[in-house]
Structure formats: C-alpha cells, structure tokens
Amino acid sequence: MKTEKQHLLKKDGISYVVPFILITSCFALWGFANDITNPMVKAFSKIFRMSVTDGALVQVAFYGGYFAMAFPAAIFIRKYSYKAGVLMGLLLYAVGAFMFFPAKYTGCYYSFLLAYFILTCGLSFLETSCNPYILSMGTEETATRRLNLAQSFNPIGSLLGMYVAMNFIQARLNPLDSDAREQLSEAEYAVVRDSDLSILIQPYVIIGVVILFMVFLLMIVRMPKNAEKQDGNFMSTIRHIFRLPHYREGVIAQFFYVGAQIMCWTFIIQYGTHLLMQTGMSEKDAEVMSQHYNIIAMVIFCCSRFICTFFLKFFNAGAMLATLAVVAVFLLIGVIFMQNIYGLYCLVGVSACMSLMFPTIYGIALYGLGESAKFGAAGLIMAILGGSVLPPLQALIIDQGYVMGLPAVNVSFVLPLICFLVIIWYGVRSYSRIASRS
C-alpha cells in the first residue's frame, strides 16, 4: 500500500512536490488580496467622505466577483484543465490590480469597485481551481488534512496584506479625520483625495507585477493532469451534487462562514476605533491601533490553522468544526455586551475559532464527489457571496449609532453570531456522517 508521502511524490510521471508548492503559493496570493481589502472599507469611507454602508460596497464588489465567476470557471476548467484555470485566474487578478492605476485618475469610487470586481473574478478562478487541485494530489482519506495544510499558507498572505494596508496605506493617508474632511472646500478636498488615492493604488500595482511573475513560473513548470477531462451533462452533474446532503448543507454553511469571517475582520476596525476613541484617543491613532489588533487576530488565525490541522489527525472533523463554532458564539456574546477592552479581546479570539472552518467545510462537502468536485468547488466558491451580502447588513446596523442602549457597532456582531449557529448545525450533522464512514 502506498503511503501518503508516496502519493504526493509521483503521479502521471510528474513529481507533485513542485506543483504542490506552486499551487499552495496561490493560497497566499489570494489571502493577500482578501486582507489588504478589508481595511479599505474604512479607508474609502474616509477618502470619499462616505458612510460605513457606502464603504461596504467594496465588499459587495469584491465578493460579488467570486459569485459571478465560480461556475464559468468550473466550465472553463472542465474544458481545459486545472492549470489553465489557475493561469486564467492569475491573469484576471493582475488585470484587476493594474486597473487601480486608471481608476485613480478618474477620481471615481465606482472605478475602484469595477477593479475589485475584475480582480476577484480572477480569485474565483483561482479558488475554484486550486482547492480541488490540492484535494486531488493524494489519497481521498487525507484530502481534508492536505487542504488544511495548503490553506495554512492563506493567512500568511493575509498577514502580509494587513501589514501593507497598515504601514503603506493607512499610515500614509492624510491625517485629517472624517469631520475635518467634511469642512474642506471642494478644491481642497480634491487635492487631499487625489493624494490619498495615489498612496492607495501603489501596493495593488506592485502585486500585479508579482502575479505576472507567478504566471511565468506556472507556464514553464510541468503540472499533473489529474484526470481533468469529464464526461456527462453539466446540468445533470449539478443536480446530482446538490442532491447530496453533505454537499448541499456544506454550501449553506460556507455562505454563513465566509460572511462571519469577513464581518469579524472588516468591522474590527470600526469596533476598535469606537472603543479606543472613548478613552480620548484620536480617530487616526484609534484606527492604527485597531489595525494592530486585526494583525494580532490574523497571527492567531495562522497559528491556530497549523495546530488544528495537526489535531485533525486524531479528531472527527465535524466535531472540531462544531466545537470551535460553539466557542466563537460565546466570544461574540462578549463582543456584543462588553463595552471595554475585553470585548475587543473577545473579537480577536474569534479568529482562533475560524481558522479551521473554511477548508474543513470545503473538504467535508466535496468528499466522494470525484470528478464532479470541479462543479462542487464552484458551488462552494459561489457561497463566498456571503462575504458580499452580510457585511453591508452589518454596516447598516453600525450606521444607526446606538441600538437598545448599546453601541450599534457592538450590536452588529449578532450577525456573525447567527452565522456560527449555522456552522454548529453543520458540524453536528457532519460528525455522524464522518463517524459512520470510520
């Protein structure tokens, strides 16, 4: 019997080591894009003098691209290959990043939203291709653990994205706070806005160049085919996989998980800023300090991912998923009702619970799908729409100021709490299914 290591080393006459490393590096690349973007909700709100709700349109455009392109990506992969899907994703990623340059010269918020949409059409191709590609690089029994390992590099890219957002964008923006910007004349405001936009676009143009280098590497490396051709009707395949309870429920759970993740990471800035300003800190200093807490949350997320991946060797994946979601619910109760630094600590702690969730839901949902995993992956990537639908609802609550005597930013975290209740349900359901296979 071949060991897992042997499966990873050779198949189709091609070593899996270099392809595994290259595809895993793509996880870091889209992690960078995701987490340089979350702080931009606050940045665009300030630059364009908008409400939190209007700023949250960044997330609508960003995660809307995931939704729009998931099934077209699956069809493209079915016709060509996983490698072709990865290359197409990287090219769209680069195009979207380079579009920030002309968007700056329009001075129009909606030009940036279009750039984000194109960029994330590329990310949709990448995630639809890379996740099942990693699952195929070895035995099905260890597929969830292998995907967790690859996904462990996603938060490394996320940490870099947060660091760049904090040190190369937020720290360099004009220090005028929101109220002071409202007092500027139109001519003065245009000068400040254009200066800020020039700062904001630089990291996106640089990452576009990095992505093109990655395209070059993938073009010259021989990649495994993994039986990429598939027979059968598209609609019959979709009907088949959605009849499977573990897959259908996985799509639902993924929708709510992604919504919870994006809400907790996007609005930690608003939560921390509101809290720290109550202590007399200026808005700019409170924003910078909140971003530090966001980075700490991502470090915890990254460390927890490696730890949880190790424990998956010994524990039922469904049981771990449900347990972590229960802990997240209790932490969010603290986020809602504590109006001091401990509430912020609880919000940071939620990241430890989230670390396992995306790849574990993904792996459980795609178990046993075989070649249908291409379209199964597309459905799970479309579920990322949760990151587009739910954050604007949270932003609407935050804009209310106060709700039932509590700061609205605190109350708004009832939405991710509800999301984790759904994940508890999926974890419990998955526990019995996985146990029955043992």
Side-chain angles (χ1 to χ4, degrees):
M1 181 180 291
K2 290 185 177 181
T3 65
E4 176 66 16
K5 183 177 180 182
Q6 288 173 319
H7 274 287
L8 281 170
L9 287 178
K10 189 76 69 174
K11 190 177 180 182
D12 301 328
I14 302 172
S15 169
Y16 268 8
V17 175
V18 173
F20 187 87
I21 292 170
L22 287 175
I23 298 303
T24 297
S25 68
C26 292
F27 287 71
L29 290 174
W30 76 65
F32 178 90
N34 276 269
D35 287 280
I36 195 176
T37 301
N38 291 335
M40 294 304 101
V41 172
K42 181 70 174 177
F44 276 114
S45 295
K46 179 183 285 188
I47 292 170
F48 287 102
R49 302 190 296 191
M50 301 181 300
S51 67
V52 176
T53 302
D54 289 333
L57 290 175
V58 168
Q59 301 292 37
V60 174
F62 194 91
Y63 292 98
Y66 272 106
F67 177 81
M69 199 53 64
F71 272 114
I75 294 169
F76 180 89
I77 294 163
R78 182 193 191 195
K79 183 175 182 180
Y80 298 103
S81 68
Y82 282 129
K83 179 178 178 177
V86 174
L87 288 171
M88 177 62 75
L90 289 170
L91 288 171
L92 287 171
Y93 187 166
V95 169
F98 288 131
M99 283 178 64
F100 276 73
F101 188 77
K104 181 261 179 184
Y105 287 97
T106 69
C108 175
Y109 178 49
Y110 296 101
S111 298
F112 287 95
L113 297 184
L114 177 61
Y116 275 121
F117 182 81
I118 298 299
L119 187 153
T120 50
C121 284
L123 300 190
S124 185
F125 259 91
L126 278 181
E127 295 211 37
T128 303
S129 305
C130 292
N131 284 294
Y133 207 178
I134 290 293
L135 290 174
S136 73
M137 291 184 182
T139 63
E140 189 167 52
E141 289 75 16
T142 57
T144 297
R145 196 160 74 239
R146 191 163 54 252
L147 183 58
N148 267 279
L149 175 61
Q151 285 273 359
S152 296
F153 291 85
N154 177 268
I156 294 173
S158 296
L159 277 171
L160 181 60
M162 287 182 173
Y163 179 82
V164 169
M166 183 178 72
N167 291 283
F168 295 94
I169 299 179
Q170 289 176 305
R172 297 172 59 194
L173 295 179
N174 192 294
L176 287 173
D177 61 24
S178 301
D179 291 336
R181 288 170 186 254
E182 290 292 342
Q183 306 304 316
L184 297 175
S185 68
E186 285 302 314
E188 292 170 330
Y189 162 66
V191 171
V192 172
R193 179 200 64 203
D194 291 347
S195 173
D196 283 346
L197 290 177
S198 295
I199 292 167
L200 186 145
I201 69 170
Q202 291 174 13
Y204 287 94
V205 174
I206 292 170
I207 194 62
V209 174
V210 173
I211 296 301
L212 290 182
F213 177 71
M214 187 67 183
V215 169
F216 171 75
L217 287 180
L218 279 166
M219 288 181 70
I220 63 174
V221 172
R222 189 181 175 205
M223 305 290 284
K225 295 184 180 302
N226 294 295
E228 287 158 344
K229 298 296 180 183
Q230 177 179 334
D231 297 323
N233 179 268
F234 166 72
M235 289 308 300
S236 65
T237 302
I238 298 302
R239 284 193 296 269
H240 165 68
I241 62 177
F242 273 96
R243 288 193 190 105
L244 303 173
H246 73 281
Y247 175 76
R248 183 175 63 247
E249 293 167 7
V251 171
I252 296 169
Q254 201 72 291
F255 175 91
F256 284 99
Y257 166 70
V258 174
Q261 175 187 290
I262 301 309
M263 287 187 285
C264 289
W265 286 350
T266 298
F267 296 113
I268 190 174
I269 306 296
Q270 279 77 6
Y271 187 93
T273 300
H274 171 84
L275 178 67
L276 296 171
M277 286 178 66
Q278 304 307 306
T279 67
M281 193 177 289
S282 70
E283 182 182 9
K284 183 174 180 62
D285 288 343
E287 286 176 10
V288 172
M289 184 59 69
S290 298
Q291 185 61 25
H292 277 103
Y293 279 104
N294 205 7
I295 289 177
I296 292 169
M298 184 53 65
V299 171
I300 292 171
F301 180 90
C302 185
C303 295
S304 179
R305 174 68 65 78
F306 283 103
I307 293 168
C308 289
T309 299
F310 173 77
F311 280 112
L312 273 176
K313 294 180 180 179
F314 311 105
F315 296 101
N316 181 297
M320 286 190 66
L321 188 64
T323 301
L324 290 170
V326 168
V327 176
V329 166
F330 280 104
L331 289 171
L332 283 166
I333 290 172
V335 171
I336 294 167
F337 291 104
M338 292 181 182
Q339 298 184 50
N340 52 39
I341 196 66
Y342 295 107
L344 187 55
Y345 292 162
C346 287
L347 185 51
V348 169
V350 171
S351 288
C353 303
M354 294 193 296
S355 64
L356 184 78
M357 293 181 180
F358 184 93
T360 301
I361 295 171
Y362 206 103
I364 293 171
L366 292 186
Y367 183 86
L369 264 62
E371 273 299 291
S372 297
K374 295 182 180 69
F375 293 108
L380 288 161
I381 296 306
M382 288 183 75
I384 290 176
L385 183 68
S388 177
V389 172
L390 297 176
L393 297 180
Q394 187 174 10
L396 284 171
I397 297 173
I398 293 172
D399 280 334
Q400 302 308 306
Y402 280 83
V403 177
M404 296 182 294
L406 288 171
V409 68
N410 291 49
V411 175
S412 71
F413 281 91
V414 73
L415 292 180
L417 186 153
I418 293 169
C419 293
F420 285 118
L421 292 176
V422 175
I423 296 164
I424 292 171
W425 163 77
Y426 185 64
V428 171
R429 297 268 293 172
S430 299
Y431 169 76
S432 57
R433 293 188 186 115
I434 295 169
S436 68
R437 295 199 297 257
S438 302

